[in-house]
Amino acid sequence: MRHSLAGLAHTVRAIGVAIAVMLAFPGMTRAAPDCNVNRNLVNADLTGCDLSGVDLTGANMSGATLYNADLTGAILVGADLTKATLRGAGLSYADLSGANLTKATMRDAGLFGATLTGANLTGVFVPASTFWHADMAGANLTNAKLSDSNLSGANLRGAIMVGTELSRVSLRSANLDGANLSRAGCRSF
């Protein structure tokens, strides 16, 4: 009898957690079953998780591993992704307005049409990534490493790009009005 009550208590607790997650994140029904998602995701391993369309506004994801995660259309407004690993992550059409991506690693990330207005990308490592038509107006890209990335059609109006590495970066049709490119490394475009 004792074991069956303990098992029942565990089951009830699991159901309660599942209901709480479903209420907090209505889009979570599409996430992979092993992806434990809540607003405190410090150092969480979300490798390969499908978080497309999920609202993670204000989530603390500092140090999280999102290797090859699908965040297409995710809402990460004001999220803290400091030192997060987003290598190969799909962030097309994601909203990262005001997000903190300081020293994040985003090699080979896809940010087609993503919104990064006012985001802090200080010291971010994003070589060989795609920012086609991304809106990065007012973003802080100080000392960011963007070599071999494609920023064609990106809106970088008023962006702070002091000391940004731009070697072999495509800026075709990008809007750089009012962007601060002092000390930026522009060896070839």
PDB file of all heavy atoms in Angstrom, residues 24-44:
ATOM      1  N   ALA A  24       1.718  27.716 -18.899  1.00  0.00           N
ATOM      2  CA  ALA A  24       2.725  28.766 -19.036  1.00  0.00           C
ATOM      3  C   ALA A  24       3.202  28.919 -20.471  1.00  0.00           C
ATOM      4  O   ALA A  24       3.547  30.007 -20.909  1.00  0.00           O
ATOM      5  CB  ALA A  24       3.915  28.471 -18.115  1.00  0.00           C
ATOM      6  N   PHE A  25       3.240  27.804 -21.212  1.00  0.00           N
ATOM      7  CA  PHE A  25       3.747  27.793 -22.571  1.00  0.00           C
ATOM      8  C   PHE A  25       2.776  27.064 -23.477  1.00  0.00           C
ATOM      9  O   PHE A  25       2.957  25.885 -23.776  1.00  0.00           O
ATOM     10  CB  PHE A  25       5.111  27.100 -22.636  1.00  0.00           C
ATOM     11  CG  PHE A  25       6.142  27.734 -21.757  1.00  0.00           C
ATOM     12  CD1 PHE A  25       6.460  27.193 -20.525  1.00  0.00           C
ATOM     13  CD2 PHE A  25       6.779  28.892 -22.161  1.00  0.00           C
ATOM     14  CE1 PHE A  25       7.411  27.788 -19.719  1.00  0.00           C
ATOM     15  CE2 PHE A  25       7.729  29.483 -21.351  1.00  0.00           C
ATOM     16  CZ  PHE A  25       8.040  28.937 -20.128  1.00  0.00           C
ATOM     17  N   PRO A  26       1.740  27.728 -23.964  1.00  0.00           N
ATOM     18  CA  PRO A  26       0.754  27.068 -24.809  1.00  0.00           C
ATOM     19  C   PRO A  26       1.342  26.413 -26.052  1.00  0.00           C
ATOM     20  O   PRO A  26       0.848  25.412 -26.525  1.00  0.00           O
ATOM     21  CB  PRO A  26      -0.214  28.192 -25.198  1.00  0.00           C
ATOM     22  CG  PRO A  26       0.062  29.317 -24.293  1.00  0.00           C
ATOM     23  CD  PRO A  26       1.436  29.130 -23.739  1.00  0.00           C
ATOM     24  N   GLY A  27       2.453  26.927 -26.580  1.00  0.00           N
ATOM     25  CA  GLY A  27       3.064  26.367 -27.774  1.00  0.00           C
ATOM     26  C   GLY A  27       3.926  25.146 -27.506  1.00  0.00           C
ATOM     27  O   GLY A  27       4.494  24.565 -28.408  1.00  0.00           O
ATOM     28  N   MET A  28       4.040  24.736 -26.276  1.00  0.00           N
ATOM     29  CA  MET A  28       4.931  23.641 -25.926  1.00  0.00           C
ATOM     30  C   MET A  28       4.473  22.279 -26.426  1.00  0.00           C
ATOM     31  O   MET A  28       5.211  21.317 -26.364  1.00  0.00           O
ATOM     32  CB  MET A  28       5.107  23.544 -24.402  1.00  0.00           C
ATOM     33  CG  MET A  28       6.065  24.564 -23.846  1.00  0.00           C
ATOM     34  SD  MET A  28       7.689  24.443 -24.581  1.00  0.00           S
ATOM     35  CE  MET A  28       8.176  22.834 -24.018  1.00  0.00           C
ATOM     36  N   THR A  29       3.285  22.162 -26.914  1.00  0.00           N
ATOM     37  CA  THR A  29       2.808  20.865 -27.377  1.00  0.00           C
ATOM     38  C   THR A  29       3.665  20.313 -28.498  1.00  0.00           C
ATOM     39  O   THR A  29       3.685  19.113 -28.722  1.00  0.00           O
ATOM     40  CB  THR A  29       1.350  20.964 -27.870  1.00  0.00           C
ATOM     41  OG1 THR A  29       1.269  21.993 -28.857  1.00  0.00           O
ATOM     42  CG2 THR A  29       0.421  21.291 -26.716  1.00  0.00           C
ATOM     43  N   ARG A  30       4.426  21.174 -29.192  1.00  0.00           N
ATOM     44  CA  ARG A  30       5.269  20.726 -30.290  1.00  0.00           C
ATOM     45  C   ARG A  30       6.691  20.424 -29.849  1.00  0.00           C
ATOM     46  O   ARG A  30       7.488  19.965 -30.631  1.00  0.00           O
ATOM     47  CB  ARG A  30       5.298  21.790 -31.383  1.00  0.00           C
ATOM     48  CG  ARG A  30       3.945  21.989 -32.011  1.00  0.00           C
ATOM     49  CD  ARG A  30       3.958  22.894 -33.185  1.00  0.00           C
ATOM     50  NE  ARG A  30       5.072  23.816 -33.200  1.00  0.00           N
ATOM     51  CZ  ARG A  30       5.071  24.959 -33.820  1.00  0.00           C
ATOM     52  NH1 ARG A  30       4.019  25.340 -34.474  1.00  0.00           N
ATOM     53  NH2 ARG A  30       6.110  25.739 -33.825  1.00  0.00           N
ATOM     54  N   ALA A  31       7.034  20.709 -28.602  1.00  0.00           N
ATOM     55  CA  ALA A  31       8.404  20.481 -28.153  1.00  0.00           C
ATOM     56  C   ALA A  31       8.667  19.000 -27.957  1.00  0.00           C
ATOM     57  O   ALA A  31       7.774  18.230 -27.629  1.00  0.00           O
ATOM     58  CB  ALA A  31       8.652  21.229 -26.838  1.00  0.00           C
ATOM     59  N   ALA A  32       9.917  18.623 -28.186  1.00  0.00           N
ATOM     60  CA  ALA A  32      10.303  17.228 -27.978  1.00  0.00           C
ATOM     61  C   ALA A  32      10.048  16.837 -26.525  1.00  0.00           C
ATOM     62  O   ALA A  32      10.203  17.652 -25.623  1.00  0.00           O
ATOM     63  CB  ALA A  32      11.778  17.066 -28.329  1.00  0.00           C
ATOM     64  N   PRO A  33       9.645  15.601 -26.259  1.00  0.00           N
ATOM     65  CA  PRO A  33       9.262  15.192 -24.914  1.00  0.00           C
ATOM     66  C   PRO A  33      10.369  15.294 -23.872  1.00  0.00           C
ATOM     67  O   PRO A  33      10.087  15.430 -22.701  1.00  0.00           O
ATOM     68  CB  PRO A  33       8.829  13.738 -25.093  1.00  0.00           C
ATOM     69  CG  PRO A  33       9.324  13.321 -26.420  1.00  0.00           C
ATOM     70  CD  PRO A  33       9.532  14.548 -27.231  1.00  0.00           C
ATOM     71  N   ASP A  34      11.632  15.262 -24.263  1.00  0.00           N
ATOM     72  CA  ASP A  34      12.703  15.339 -23.286  1.00  0.00           C
ATOM     73  C   ASP A  34      13.186  16.771 -23.045  1.00  0.00           C
ATOM     74  O   ASP A  34      14.180  16.983 -22.383  1.00  0.00           O
ATOM     75  CB  ASP A  34      13.866  14.446 -23.699  1.00  0.00           C
ATOM     76  CG  ASP A  34      14.470  14.841 -25.041  1.00  0.00           C
ATOM     77  OD1 ASP A  34      13.804  15.582 -25.795  1.00  0.00           O
ATOM     78  OD2 ASP A  34      15.584  14.415 -25.323  1.00  0.00           O
ATOM     79  N   CYS A  35      12.479  17.753 -23.558  1.00  0.00           N
ATOM     80  CA  CYS A  35      12.865  19.151 -23.400  1.00  0.00           C
ATOM     81  C   CYS A  35      12.136  19.741 -22.207  1.00  0.00           C
ATOM     82  O   CYS A  35      10.957  20.064 -22.289  1.00  0.00           O
ATOM     83  CB  CYS A  35      12.542  19.948 -24.670  1.00  0.00           C
ATOM     84  SG  CYS A  35      13.447  19.369 -26.105  1.00  0.00           S
ATOM     85  N   ASN A  36      12.830  19.887 -21.099  1.00  0.00           N
ATOM     86  CA  ASN A  36      12.250  20.433 -19.885  1.00  0.00           C
ATOM     87  C   ASN A  36      12.349  21.949 -19.941  1.00  0.00           C
ATOM     88  O   ASN A  36      13.412  22.507 -19.753  1.00  0.00           O
ATOM     89  CB  ASN A  36      13.005  19.878 -18.671  1.00  0.00           C
ATOM     90  CG  ASN A  36      12.449  20.388 -17.367  1.00  0.00           C
ATOM     91  OD1 ASN A  36      11.330  20.884 -17.316  1.00  0.00           O
ATOM     92  ND2 ASN A  36      13.229  20.270 -16.311  1.00  0.00           N
ATOM     93  N   VAL A  37      11.247  22.619 -20.218  1.00  0.00           N
ATOM     94  CA  VAL A  37      11.270  24.059 -20.437  1.00  0.00           C
ATOM     95  C   VAL A  37      10.493  24.792 -19.348  1.00  0.00           C
ATOM     96  O   VAL A  37       9.374  24.434 -19.024  1.00  0.00           O
ATOM     97  CB  VAL A  37      10.665  24.406 -21.824  1.00  0.00           C
ATOM     98  CG1 VAL A  37      10.622  25.901 -22.027  1.00  0.00           C
ATOM     99  CG2 VAL A  37      11.480  23.747 -22.916  1.00  0.00           C
ATOM    100  N   ASN A  38      11.126  25.806 -18.775  1.00  0.00           N
ATOM    101  CA  ASN A  38      10.460  26.735 -17.867  1.00  0.00           C
ATOM    102  C   ASN A  38      11.178  28.067 -17.999  1.00  0.00           C
ATOM    103  O   ASN A  38      12.028  28.224 -18.857  1.00  0.00           O
ATOM    104  CB  ASN A  38      10.437  26.195 -16.431  1.00  0.00           C
ATOM    105  CG  ASN A  38      11.832  25.942 -15.886  1.00  0.00           C
ATOM    106  OD1 ASN A  38      12.707  26.793 -15.984  1.00  0.00           O
ATOM    107  ND2 ASN A  38      12.044  24.765 -15.318  1.00  0.00           N
ATOM    108  N   ARG A  39      10.861  29.042 -17.176  1.00  0.00           N
ATOM    109  CA  ARG A  39      11.466  30.367 -17.315  1.00  0.00           C
ATOM    110  C   ARG A  39      12.890  30.422 -16.761  1.00  0.00           C
ATOM    111  O   ARG A  39      13.622  31.338 -17.043  1.00  0.00           O
ATOM    112  CB  ARG A  39      10.600  31.412 -16.621  1.00  0.00           C
ATOM    113  CG  ARG A  39       9.226  31.525 -17.250  1.00  0.00           C
ATOM    114  CD  ARG A  39       9.094  32.788 -18.037  1.00  0.00           C
ATOM    115  NE  ARG A  39       7.741  32.894 -18.530  1.00  0.00           N
ATOM    116  CZ  ARG A  39       7.436  32.933 -19.796  1.00  0.00           C
ATOM    117  NH1 ARG A  39       8.364  32.890 -20.698  1.00  0.00           N
ATOM    118  NH2 ARG A  39       6.198  33.020 -20.192  1.00  0.00           N
ATOM    119  N   ASN A  40      13.296  29.480 -15.919  1.00  0.00           N
ATOM    120  CA  ASN A  40      14.653  29.435 -15.401  1.00  0.00           C
ATOM    121  C   ASN A  40      15.386  28.283 -16.062  1.00  0.00           C
ATOM    122  O   ASN A  40      15.260  27.136 -15.662  1.00  0.00           O
ATOM    123  CB  ASN A  40      14.661  29.275 -13.882  1.00  0.00           C
ATOM    124  CG  ASN A  40      16.075  29.320 -13.331  1.00  0.00           C
ATOM    125  OD1 ASN A  40      17.035  29.561 -14.058  1.00  0.00           O
ATOM    126  ND2 ASN A  40      16.205  29.084 -12.044  1.00  0.00           N
ATOM    127  N   LEU A  41      16.139  28.603 -17.094  1.00  0.00           N
ATOM    128  CA  LEU A  41      16.839  27.597 -17.882  1.00  0.00           C
ATOM    129  C   LEU A  41      18.349  27.804 -17.833  1.00  0.00           C
ATOM    130  O   LEU A  41      19.048  27.511 -18.789  1.00  0.00           O
ATOM    131  CB  LEU A  41      16.332  27.643 -19.327  1.00  0.00           C
ATOM    132  CG  LEU A  41      14.856  27.291 -19.493  1.00  0.00           C
ATOM    133  CD1 LEU A  41      14.334  27.740 -20.835  1.00  0.00           C
ATOM    134  CD2 LEU A  41      14.655  25.807 -19.306  1.00  0.00           C
ATOM    135  N   VAL A  42      18.843  28.284 -16.699  1.00  0.00           N
ATOM    136  CA  VAL A  42      20.268  28.513 -16.533  1.00  0.00           C
ATOM    137  C   VAL A  42      21.006  27.192 -16.718  1.00  0.00           C
ATOM    138  O   VAL A  42      20.676  26.189 -16.080  1.00  0.00           O
ATOM    139  CB  VAL A  42      20.578  29.121 -15.149  1.00  0.00           C
ATOM    140  CG1 VAL A  42      22.078  29.260 -14.932  1.00  0.00           C
ATOM    141  CG2 VAL A  42      19.887  30.467 -14.985  1.00  0.00           C
ATOM    142  N   ASN A  43      21.962  27.188 -17.640  1.00  0.00           N
ATOM    143  CA  ASN A  43      22.785  26.008 -17.940  1.00  0.00           C
ATOM    144  C   ASN A  43      21.980  24.790 -18.401  1.00  0.00           C
ATOM    145  O   ASN A  43      22.475  23.661 -18.341  1.00  0.00           O
ATOM    146  CB  ASN A  43      23.666  25.639 -16.741  1.00  0.00           C
ATOM    147  CG  ASN A  43      24.650  26.735 -16.400  1.00  0.00           C
ATOM    148  OD1 ASN A  43      25.244  27.344 -17.274  1.00  0.00           O
ATOM    149  ND2 ASN A  43      24.795  27.013 -15.119  1.00  0.00           N
ATOM    150  N   ALA A  44      20.762  24.975 -18.855  1.00  0.00           N
ATOM    151  CA  ALA A  44      19.928  23.856 -19.318  1.00  0.00           C
ATOM    152  C   ALA A  44      20.471  23.283 -20.619  1.00  0.00           C
ATOM    153  O   ALA A  44      21.012  23.997 -21.451  1.00  0.00           O
ATOM    154  CB  ALA A  44      18.491  24.325 -19.524  1.00  0.00           C
TER     155      ALA A  44
END
